C-alpha cells in the first residue's frame, strides 16, 4: 500500500524536478565550481596571512607600548581583522582566483577540450556565475549583518591599544528631533553619555509654545526603551498667548527622539551599523536635515554594489585567461591585480567625491561597477574569438 502511494505521489510531483537548481549543475559545473571556490579560499588565506604578518610588524611596538593583552590582540583584533579585510578585498580575491585557475585550465588544454566537445563560451560561464552567486550572497550577508558587530570590537581595541582616538565629545550640537522640535546641547561627552547646557524648543505654526532648559542631561543606557533621558536642574516655560506657565525642578525623566550616535560622529562609525540600522539611521538623519548623512548613504549603497562586483570581475578574468597562450599566466595575473586595485581605488575616489563634492551617493557607489561593466562587455564579446 505504501509503495503504491509513493509511486502515485511521485508521478504527480515530477514537475518539482524542473525547479530543482541542482538539476542544472552538471559534472563539468561541479568541477569548475570546486576549482573556483577552492582557489578563492586559498587566495584569501595566502594574502590575509601576509597582511597579518605586515600588520604585526607595524603595530608590535604600539601593542607593547600600550600593554595590549595577547588574548585581546588575537581575539578582539585579529579575529575581527580577518573577516573585515577579507570581505573588503573580496573582488580582488575573486579576480585573482579566476585568472589563476582559468589560466591553469587553459594551459592544460582543458578549456580547449571543453570547447571542442561542443561547450560554448556562454555555457562555460554558468559555473562561474553560480560561484559568484554563492560568493556575493555570503559577502553581502557578512558586510551587512556580521562584520559591523566585529568592527565595534576591532575599533574599540584600536582606540585602546593603537592610539586611534575616537571622537568622544561634541560642541554646539543642534538637532531637529521631531516635527517642530529642536534640541540644542552646548557640550556633550559620549564617555559619560552626558550633555551640558541643554535646551529644547517646541513650535506650532511657527510660534514658540514651549522652551525647556537644563543644566545637565543624561542618557539612560539601561532603559528598556530608546530615547530615554534624564534632565537635571531643569526649567520649562510654556506659552499660551500672553500667558506663561513655568515649571522647574531638580530632576525630570523625559523622552527625546535622539541618541548618543546622533550627537557624536567618529571616523568609521558607519561601518559599525548593520544594514537595517544603517537604513533607519539614514532615514532619521534625513528627516532631521542633518549634513553628515552622506557617508552613511555611501556605505549603504556600496555594500550592495560590492556584491555585484564579483560578477563583473569574473567575466573580465574569464575572458582574459580562457585562451592558451605562450608565456604562462604571469602577465594575466598582473593584469588581474592591476584591474582589481583599479576597481578598489576607483571605489575610494568616487566615495570621496560623494562626501566632498556633492556627488549623489548611489552614483558614487555604482560608478566602479558601471565602468568595469563596460570593460567586461567588450572582453566578453572578444573572448569567443
Amino acid at each position: 500500500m505504501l509503495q503504491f502511494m509513493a509511486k502515485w505521489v511521485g508521478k504527480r510531483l515530477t514537475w518539482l524536478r524542473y525547479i530543482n537548481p541542482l538539476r542544472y549543475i552538471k559534472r563539468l559545473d561541479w568541477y569548475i565550481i570546486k576549482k573556483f571556490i577552492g582557489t578563492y579560499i586559498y587566495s584569501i588565506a595566502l594574502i590575509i596571512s601576509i597582511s597579518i604578518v605586515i600588520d604585526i610588524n607595524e603595530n608590535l611596538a604600539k601593542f607593547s607600548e600600550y600593554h595590549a593583552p595577547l588574548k585581546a590582540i588575537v581575539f578582539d583584533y585579529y579575529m575581527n581583522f580577518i573577516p573585515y579585510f577579507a570581505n573588503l578585498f573580496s573582488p580582488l580575491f575573486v579576480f585573482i582566483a579566476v585568472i589563476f585557475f582559468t589560466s591553469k585550465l587553459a594551459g592544460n588544454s582543458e578549456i580547449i577540450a571543453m570547447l571542442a566537445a561542443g561547450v560554448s563560451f556562454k555555457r562555460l560561464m554558468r559555473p562561474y556565475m553560480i560561484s559568484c552567486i554563492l560568493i556575493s550572497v555570503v559577502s553581502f550577508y557578512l558586510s551587512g549583518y556580521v562584520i559591523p558587530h566585529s568592527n565595534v570590537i576591532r575599533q574599540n581595541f584600536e582606540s585602546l591599544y593603537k592610539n586611534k582616538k575616537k571622537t568622544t565629545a561634541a560642541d554646539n550640537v543642534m538637532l531637529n528631533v521631531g516635527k517642530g522640535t529642536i534640541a540644542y546641547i552646548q557640550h556633550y561627552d559620549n564617555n559619560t553619555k552626558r550633555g551640558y547646557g541643554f535646551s529644547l524648543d517646541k513650535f506650532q505654526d511657527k510660534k514658540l509654545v514651549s522652551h525647556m532648559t537644563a543644566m545637565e542631561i543624561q542618557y539612560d543606557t539601561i532603559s528598556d526603551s530608546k530615547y530615554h533621558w534624564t534632565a537635571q536642574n531643569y526649567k520649562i516655560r510654556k506659552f499660551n498667548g500672553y500667558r506663561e506657565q513655568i515649571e522647574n525642578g531638580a530632576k525630570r525623566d523625559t523622552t527625546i527622539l535622539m541618541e548618543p550616535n546622533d550627537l557624536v560622529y567618529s571616523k568609521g562609525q558607519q561601518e559599525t551599523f548593520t544594514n537595517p540600522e544603517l537604513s533607519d539611521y539614514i532615514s532619521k538623519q534625513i528627516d532631521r536635515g542633518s549634513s553628515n548623512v552622506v557617508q552613511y548613504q555611501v556605505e549603504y549603497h556600496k555594500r550592495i554594489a560590492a556584491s555585484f562586483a564579483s560578477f563583473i570581475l569574473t567575466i573580465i578574468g574569464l575572458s582574459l585567461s580562457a585562451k592558451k597562450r605562450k608565456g604562462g599566466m604571469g602577465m594575466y595575473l598582473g593584469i588581474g591585480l592591476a584591474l582589481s586595485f583599479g576597481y578598489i581605488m576607483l571605489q575610494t575616489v568616487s566615495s570621496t567625491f560623494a562626501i566632498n563634492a556633492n556627488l549623489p551617493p548611489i552614483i558614487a557607489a555604482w560608478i566602479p561597477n558601471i565602468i568595469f561593466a563596460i570593460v567586461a562587455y567588450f572582453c566578453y564579446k572578444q573572448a569567443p574569438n
Side-chain angles (χ1 to χ4, degrees):
M1 183 64 178
L2 290 175
Q3 186 177 5
F4 172 77
M5 291 179 63
K7 288 182 179 179
W8 184 84
V9 172
K11 287 180 180 180
R12 282 154 180 78
L13 295 181
T14 53
W15 60 271
L16 287 175
R17 62 194 178 105
Y18 294 104
I19 62 172
N20 181 12
L22 297 179
R23 175 177 178 269
Y24 301 97
I25 304 178
K26 307 300 182 182
R27 183 176 296 180
L28 173 63
D29 300 318
W30 283 118
Y31 177 72
I32 294 178
I33 290 171
K34 289 177 182 178
K35 290 279 188 181
F36 193 153
I37 301 298
T39 309
Y40 173 74
I41 294 173
Y42 175 77
S43 63
I44 288 178
L46 180 63
I47 297 177
I48 290 297
S49 298
I50 296 172
S51 301
I52 289 175
V53 172
I54 295 173
D55 190 80
I56 291 174
N57 185 57
E58 289 183 352
N59 295 306
L60 190 60
K62 289 183 178 179
F63 293 159
S64 178
E65 179 184 355
Y66 292 100
H67 307 288
L70 180 61
K71 182 179 178 181
I73 294 173
V74 174
F75 293 100
D76 292 350
Y77 183 62
Y78 284 111
M79 289 301 291
N80 296 302
F81 172 95
I82 292 171
Y84 173 74
F85 281 95
N87 196 66
L88 179 65
F89 294 106
S90 181
L92 169 65
F93 301 137
V94 168
F95 211 163
I96 291 174
V98 171
I99 292 284
F100 185 83
F101 89 87
T102 306
S103 297
K104 194 171 182 180
L105 291 178
N108 294 336
S109 301
E110 293 179 68
I111 291 183
I112 295 175
M114 295 174 194
L115 298 176
V119 177
S120 65
F121 188 77
K122 183 178 180 180
R123 171 64 181 83
L124 182 63
M125 289 183 61
R126 182 191 293 178
Y128 287 86
M129 295 298 101
I130 293 173
S131 302
C132 287
I133 291 172
L134 296 174
I135 292 172
S136 297
V137 169
V138 172
S139 177
F140 179 76
Y141 178 75
L142 288 175
S143 64
Y145 299 93
V146 177
I147 293 177
H149 296 298
S150 66
N151 282 341
V152 175
I153 301 172
R154 180 177 58 84
Q155 290 181 10
N156 288 338
F157 176 92
E158 289 178 344
S159 66
L160 287 173
Y161 302 114
K162 290 183 67 177
N163 200 28
K164 288 190 175 182
K165 297 300 183 183
K166 296 173 67 175
T167 303
T168 59
D171 294 313
N172 300 319
V173 180
M174 183 176 289
L175 286 177
N176 185 359
V177 296
K179 186 176 180 180
T181 305
I182 298 175
Y184 171 79
I185 299 179
Q186 185 176 3
H187 177 77
Y188 177 76
D189 186 351
N190 198 45
N191 290 326
T192 59
K193 302 291 188 293
R194 184 182 294 270
Y196 304 90
F198 174 78
S199 68
L200 186 71
D201 295 326
K202 294 183 180 180
F203 296 86
Q204 286 183 0
D205 299 327
K206 298 182 180 180
K207 293 183 179 179
L208 182 65
V209 296
S210 175
H211 176 69
M212 173 183 176
T213 60
M215 294 292 291
E216 297 180 6
I217 188 168
Q218 176 74 50
Y219 184 70
D220 191 348
T221 57
I222 61 174
S223 175
D224 295 333
S225 59
K226 296 193 299 183
Y227 313 126
H228 187 248
W229 295 83
T230 301
Q232 298 179 8
N233 297 324
Y234 71 92
K235 181 178 181 180
I236 301 175
R237 300 170 62 192
K238 296 181 180 179
F239 304 98
N240 185 11
Y242 293 102
R243 296 182 178 181
E244 179 180 348
Q245 181 181 351
I246 299 177
E247 176 188 348
N248 53 41
K251 186 176 181 181
R252 178 187 175 92
D253 293 334
T254 184
T255 299
I256 305 172
L257 300 180
M258 65 180 186
E259 296 180 274
N261 286 337
D262 302 328
L263 304 174
V264 177
Y265 170 76
S266 58
K267 185 178 180 181
Q269 180 175 305
Q270 67 273 17
E271 296 175 351
T272 64
F273 290 174
T274 62
N275 280 356
E277 292 171 344
L278 201 55
S279 179
D280 291 342
Y281 184 85
I282 290 170
S283 300
K284 187 168 62 176
Q285 294 300 97
I286 290 175
D287 292 339
R288 290 174 174 171
S290 177
S291 60
N292 71 334
V293 73
V294 177
Q295 53 265 43
Y296 295 90
Q297 292 176 314
V298 170
E299 176 69 18
Y300 182 80
H301 293 296
K302 188 167 70 174
R303 291 178 184 180
I304 300 172
S307 301
F308 289 89
S310 299
F311 296 93
I312 297 170
L313 296 178
T314 294
I315 294 172
I316 297 175
L318 174 59
S319 302
L320 288 175
S321 57
K323 286 186 178 181
K324 184 177 181 179
R325 295 178 172 89
K326 293 182 179 180
M329 69 180 77
M331 183 178 71
Y332 298 99
L333 196 59
I335 293 173
L337 286 170
L339 288 172
S340 299
F341 282 116
Y343 176 87
I344 294 169
M345 183 183 70
L346 186 60
Q347 197 176 51
T348 304
V349 170
S350 62
S351 299
T352 303
F353 273 113
I355 295 171
N356 298 324
N358 296 323
L359 184 68
I362 189 170
I363 295 177
W366 282 91
I367 278 179
N369 282 1
I370 294 170
I371 294 175
F372 276 77
I374 296 172
V375 175
Y377 174 78
F378 285 104
C379 289
Y380 172 75
K381 284 296 183 181
Q382 294 297 321
N385 300 324

